[in-house]
Amino acid sequence: LTEEILTCEFNENNYEKPIYDHVTSSTGRSKISKGVNFLVMKKEDRNKLTSSFRKGAIFEIDIVSLEPRFFLKYFKNIEVNDVYTHVATSILNNSNSRNKIKLGLLATIYGAGQSTVKKLTGMSSNDYDKIINYFEVQKIKRSLMNEFELKQKIKNAYGRNLYSNTSILNHFIQSSAADCAFRAFHKFYFDNESKFNLIAVIHDAIIIDVPFENISMIEDTYCIKEDKLDINLPVTVRRINWDTLERIE
């Protein structure tokens, strides 16, 4: 997918195309080894990107709640529109704010202990236990550790080898979610080839350069699909900038 990347303009100047490294990260998340590093670029700096198309626009498409969404689908075979609302209504009976549930869920599935989660969110011990039990966090961690002890490696959900047992569940989720996003964006790009230029891949997001005639199609994108897990991934679409000519006019 990243071989398809083209450039637009940054601050009304040309820039060096990013070159991606998909191999050396222990979690499978991509790095940029050369060129403009969109992975660490501040959002306000992305606003300086301008379209290469007259009256075109730059968009950022983000997958919503990717990692907990992957976790819920892969281990529970459940798909929901809003992961945190599902946790609130199905597990915690709406006893916490959405933001507290978001922080608590992410910290819990990444292996934080009860005291850490309580300190971060104020979530009760009872609610922490409900999340741990519902997502079977300890059972999954034991299974991954057993696999590592047997083979000195584990495989993520897509067969990628992971050779570290440090934060093993965290690495499994991050690696699998990264591959999930990459495969979904790959499908979205090639399903809509020639309708936009790919500018950057940023873990669970892409930046694209869209001709004027295809802007409505992109703005009406609400979901993308990853076929291997058969998972629908809701997305948010944010317009970053118009092209220079349009802004002048």
Side-chain angles (χ1 to χ4, degrees):
L1 176 63
T2 52
E3 292 179 359
E4 304 295 327
I5 284 175
L6 298 173
T7 59
C8 52
E9 289 187 350
F10 179 73
N11 213 15
E12 300 185 11
N13 292 302
N14 295 326
Y15 61 87
E16 187 178 2
K17 174 181 170 179
I19 304 299
Y20 284 76
D21 170 6
H22 303 291
V23 178
T24 60
S25 168
S26 63
T27 63
R29 300 186 89 184
S30 299
K31 301 176 182 178
I32 291 178
S33 58
K34 187 180 179 184
V36 171
N37 196 337
F38 286 95
L39 299 177
V40 299
M41 183 183 288
K42 294 179 180 178
K43 282 198 173 183
E44 53 265 32
D45 287 332
R46 294 179 203 167
N47 294 337
K48 298 175 184 177
L49 292 166
T50 50
S51 178
S52 61
F53 301 105
R54 190 173 188 277
K55 295 190 177 181
I58 304 293
F59 285 86
E60 183 173 326
I61 300 178
D62 289 84
I63 298 174
V64 178
S65 310
L66 172 63
E67 291 172 351
R69 188 177 303 281
F70 158 78
F71 195 104
L72 192 62
K73 173 66 174 181
Y74 186 74
F75 290 110
K76 306 290 288 185
N77 196 28
I78 294 172
E79 282 190 66
V80 293
N81 185 54
D82 188 315
V83 175
Y84 306 116
T85 298
H86 171 74
V87 171
T89 56
S90 300
I91 307 169
L92 304 181
N93 300 317
N94 283 311
S95 58
N96 297 274
S97 70
R98 189 178 187 281
N99 190 52
K100 185 186 291 188
I101 289 169
K102 179 179 178 179
L103 289 172
L105 175 60
L106 291 173
T108 301
I109 66 175
Y110 285 143
Q114 185 180 105
S115 60
T116 302
V117 173
K118 187 173 183 179
K119 190 180 207 179
L120 284 171
T121 68
M123 185 177 285
S124 71
S125 300
N126 186 48
D127 285 342
Y128 172 85
D129 289 339
K130 286 179 180 179
I131 292 174
I132 282 281
N133 293 332
Y134 179 81
F135 285 97
E136 301 181 294
V137 172
Q138 298 305 328
K139 177 183 175 182
I140 294 166
K141 284 174 71 174
R142 284 196 301 271
S143 176
L144 291 172
M145 287 301 297
N146 289 339
E147 181 182 349
F148 188 86
E149 289 171 9
L150 182 66
K151 302 176 182 177
Q152 296 304 297
K153 66 178 181 180
I154 62 170
K155 289 184 180 292
N156 78 359
Y158 294 89
R160 182 193 294 271
N161 290 324
L162 302 173
Y163 294 98
S164 172
N165 64 349
T166 303
S167 302
I168 196 165
L169 180 55
N170 189 333
H171 279 184
F172 179 88
I173 295 170
Q174 281 197 7
S175 174
S176 300
D179 284 346
C180 180
F182 200 85
R183 290 173 63 100
F185 285 133
H186 184 278
K187 175 176 170 54
F188 178 71
Y189 176 81
F190 286 103
D191 282 352
N192 296 283
E193 196 170 4
S194 80
K195 293 181 181 177
F196 58 82
N197 291 343
L198 180 65
I199 302 303
V201 179
I202 311 173
H203 303 313
D204 56 358
I206 55 173
I207 296 175
I208 59 176
D209 185 3
V210 186
F212 177 78
E213 62 269 21
N214 294 326
I215 286 176
S216 294
M217 183 271 289
I218 294 299
E219 289 180 327
D220 289 339
T221 299
Y222 300 99
C223 189
I224 61 176
K225 179 77 178 286
E226 195 287 293
D227 284 340
K228 183 171 182 180
L229 288 187
D230 190 27
I231 182 173
N232 294 297
L233 301 168
V235 296
T236 58
V237 176
R238 180 176 77 94
R239 189 200 307 261
I240 292 177
N241 216 333
W242 295 90
D243 80 300
T244 306
L245 289 174
E246 179 70 3
R247 288 186 289 112
I248 290 173
E249 293 171 0

